[in-house]
Amino acid sequence: MLSASVDLRKAGNGAAKSTVVDAQIDPVAIPPMPDYNGRILAYTATAAIIGAGVFEGAFPDWMLWLIGAALAWPHIAHLLTRHTLLRQSPRIRQKMLIADCVIGGGFVGTIGVVAIPSVSIMMMLMFSCLIVGGFRQWVFGSAFMAASLFIGLAIFGPAESFQAPLLTSILSLLATGLYICVTAYYSHQQARALMMAKTQIQNQREQSIALSHKLSKYLSPQVWQSIFTGERDVRLETQRKKLAVFFSDIKGFTELSEEMEPEALTELLNHYFNGMSEVALKYGGTIDKFVGDSIMVFFGDPTSRGQREDAFACVSMAIEMRKHMKIMRQKWRSQGIKTPLEIRMGISTGYTTVGNFGAENRMDYTIIGKEVNLASRLESLADPGEILVSYETFSLIKDRIMCRDKGEITVKGFGKPVPIYEVVDFRRDMGPNRSFLEHEHSGFAMYLDSEKISERERHAILTALEDAADRLRQEEEIR
């Protein structure tokens, strides 16, 4: 009869390998009850039952030799499972327990199914089956035990009396109780160790998640997601893909940096980057890097919605950034920053090399290619508040975005002059029915997008505009 304890040493080793912090689960601290010890306990109890039964005349005298067999079998089973080909069996515990059920069932049939000793033997076997192999093992064990029981019963016949003598009954119950208590104790210890291991693994998992979220701040969300979901390996590899590439910088930032203290300048720049990053992520852009006051974003990798949609999303992002800059500029004015900061942007679409560049121990996920150089050049040529796009970008967005021809430029790496276009606005927002209005003058800035205003906000905005109009009229009358 096999030990009913659950061996958690493998689970402990696996948990130790999966940790990312120094804390590890020590498999030695988990006290399993070895199969060898459990089998010795069960067969020693069976030998005691046989001895008591022979002593009281409940069993025939020839069964005395079964005491020696019961005491020897645990050692034989240990040798079979440790020093023969059986040790290579992946389910040796379940198979040896089936052998125990056959032996136990045969013994119950041999003694003629004397009630209490038979029930004691079967309880030890069933208890072991349920704990070691669950319901499936219990079913198989019961079947083999019943088969061997009927064979033994057919050979030796039923007992003259199914009632066992008092000493044999008491000893059977005590032996069964002792076996169940000992194996239950070890099972409880292992269940407790398993719970502690589970708690430790959960804590380590939470630490790993928290650490990964901290590290994600240094990567674009799309790149971080593809790495931590296993979609992308962290190794030096690149591929050619058609991407929409975006560059922007702030006109007037250099002059401003000479006027402001470094701490205030850093706060302003971080506020700008935070606002623009939210816009980029809203449209699905992969933020490549921040360099000084410049931002580089690309669309089409690691996820893509198609060349046309990627280009449209990139230009849409640029238009919203231009609008968002007006709001930020007004806020900076209220903070005492008088330098009129303007954003200028350049967008190019074409084939680039994208992937991990660098060394095995330090790499960057970025893009290179002449289209990147073209986007950077367009950004440097743009006027404040202007968005310049290449011809290929224009051809992908012209049906939804109004653009103005700006002629041609010569760019290093391109054999012919490159046609460029200025982005005006969404076609849907052109004309008298456009959803937004924007005006900006010294002392006044307004950006209105009627599609995003709720009914409750609409009333408050109307009240504010009426108060502002009344104030201007009063001052006009005084003059």
Side-chain angles (χ1 to χ4, degrees):
M1 296 106 185
L2 194 60
S3 165
S5 63
V6 182
D7 190 353
L8 298 179
R9 283 173 287 187
K10 292 182 180 179
N13 288 332
K17 292 178 182 178
S18 65
T19 57
V20 295
V21 292
D22 292 336
Q24 293 184 343
I25 300 168
D26 184 6
V28 179
I30 302 176
M33 181 178 180
D35 299 345
Y36 179 56
N37 295 351
R39 194 168 275 111
I40 287 177
L41 176 62
Y43 278 92
T44 300
T46 303
I49 294 173
I50 294 172
V54 172
F55 176 77
E56 290 190 310
F59 306 151
D61 293 341
W62 65 266
M63 285 192 177
L64 286 174
W65 72 268
L66 291 180
I67 295 177
L71 296 176
W73 171 245
H75 308 288
I76 296 172
H78 180 71
L79 292 174
L80 289 174
T81 56
R82 291 293 183 273
H83 303 289
T84 67
L85 293 176
L86 288 175
R87 70 181 185 274
Q88 299 177 358
S89 175
R91 295 185 178 181
I92 186 62
R93 299 185 73 200
Q94 288 85 346
K95 293 179 180 179
M96 292 304 298
L97 185 53
I98 292 295
D100 292 328
C101 290
V102 172
I103 294 172
F107 173 73
V108 171
T110 302
I111 65 176
V113 198
V114 177
I116 294 181
S118 299
V119 171
S120 298
I121 298 297
M122 289 189 290
M123 284 183 63
M124 286 190 284
L125 287 168
M126 294 300 96
F127 184 75
S128 297
C129 285
L130 283 171
I131 292 184
V132 170
F135 181 75
R136 179 185 175 88
Q137 183 73 22
W138 179 83
V139 171
F140 279 104
S142 299
F144 279 95
M145 183 172 59
S148 62
L149 186 153
F150 284 116
I151 292 173
L153 195 60
I155 295 174
F156 295 98
E160 296 180 359
S161 174
F162 293 110
Q163 184 174 0
L166 180 61
L167 178 61
T168 303
S169 300
I170 293 174
L171 191 59
S172 299
L173 294 175
L174 288 176
T176 303
L178 177 63
Y179 175 79
I180 292 176
C181 287
V182 171
T183 52
Y185 169 76
Y186 277 100
S187 296
H188 168 73
Q189 291 295 98
Q190 291 219 290
R192 182 181 177 185
L194 179 61
M195 185 60 65
M196 293 175 62
K198 183 179 179 181
T199 302
Q200 190 174 7
I201 292 172
Q202 180 64 27
N203 292 337
Q204 293 165 357
R205 180 175 178 273
E206 292 174 356
Q207 291 177 24
S208 300
I209 293 174
L211 179 60
S212 70
H213 280 293
K214 291 179 180 178
L215 293 175
S216 70
K217 303 297 183 182
Y218 294 91
L219 295 171
S220 180
Q222 299 92 329
V223 178
W224 176 84
Q225 185 73 18
S226 65
I227 292 174
F228 279 85
T229 56
E231 298 176 7
R232 185 182 300 274
D233 292 332
V234 182
R235 61 187 180 188
L236 293 174
E237 61 178 3
T238 60
Q239 57 182 324
R240 293 282 290 174
K241 294 185 74 173
K242 194 170 187 178
L243 307 178
V245 186
F246 167 91
F247 273 88
S248 73
D249 74 343
I250 302 176
K251 179 66 175 177
F253 185 79
T254 303
E255 294 80 359
L256 181 64
S257 62
E258 298 173 355
E259 301 173 4
M260 296 183 64
E261 293 295 329
E263 294 79 6
L265 186 66
T266 300
E267 183 180 355
L268 180 146
L269 192 59
N270 287 336
H271 177 255
Y272 166 76
F273 282 148
N274 187 63
M276 295 306 175
S277 297
E278 290 178 356
V279 176
L281 296 177
K282 173 183 174 182
Y283 286 92
T286 301
I287 302 173
D288 186 288
K289 59 176 67 73
F290 303 107
V291 182
D293 61 319
S294 300
I295 303 175
M296 177 180 173
V297 184
F298 58 87
F299 289 74
D301 191 82
T303 59
S304 175
R305 290 171 288 179
Q307 297 176 14
R308 188 174 298 276
E309 290 301 320
D310 289 339
F312 179 70
C314 185
V315 178
S316 300
M317 174 196 72
I319 293 174
E320 182 159 341
M321 283 183 173
R322 182 168 61 184
K323 297 175 182 177
H324 190 66
M325 190 66 178
K326 298 178 184 295
I327 301 173
M328 299 179 78
R329 190 161 54 243
Q330 182 64 19
K331 182 176 181 179
W332 292 334
R333 280 204 189 101
S334 66
Q335 294 175 350
I337 301 173
K338 297 180 179 180
T339 303
L341 298 178
E342 295 275 1
I343 187 173
R344 54 185 184 182
M345 295 164 277
I347 298 173
S348 175
T349 302
Y351 283 95
T352 65
T353 302
V354 57
N356 293 319
F357 294 83
E360 289 290 347
N361 57 356
R362 175 66 174 89
M363 59 186 70
D364 284 327
Y365 189 82
T366 187
I367 58 175
I368 60 173
K370 64 179 184 178
E371 297 297 336
V372 180
N373 298 333
L374 177 57
S376 178
R377 179 69 184 281
L378 292 174
E379 174 262 312
S380 63
L381 292 175
D383 293 328
E386 190 175 51
I387 305 170
L388 294 182
V389 300
S390 65
Y391 174 77
E392 187 155 3
T393 306
F394 164 73
S395 64
L396 294 171
I397 64 168
K398 62 183 179 181
D399 56 336
R400 289 186 280 182
I401 295 178
M402 177 67 72
C403 298
R404 182 182 296 117
D405 190 349
K406 293 282 287 187
E408 296 179 340
I409 60 171
T410 302
V411 181
K412 185 178 180 181
F414 290 81
K416 298 180 180 180
V418 178
I420 62 173
Y421 297 81
E422 176 192 354
V423 173
V424 179
D425 210 335
F426 294 104
R427 290 187 180 274
R428 66 172 184 266
D429 291 329
M430 301 296 292
N433 296 323
R434 57 181 178 174
S435 63
F436 75 91
L437 297 171
E438 54 184 334
H439 292 284
E440 186 173 9
H441 304 282
S442 179
F444 176 79
M446 182 186 73
Y447 166 67
L448 173 66
D449 190 343
S450 59
E451 290 184 351
K452 297 180 180 180
I453 298 175
S454 65
E455 290 298 326
R456 183 177 180 181
E457 293 170 337
R458 191 181 302 273
H459 179 72
I461 292 171
L462 287 172
T463 302
L465 290 174
E466 290 171 358
D467 290 343
D470 291 341
R471 176 69 177 271
L472 290 174
R473 291 190 186 99
Q474 292 174 4
E475 292 180 353
E476 185 70 22
E477 290 175 357
I478 293 174
R479 291 178 184 177

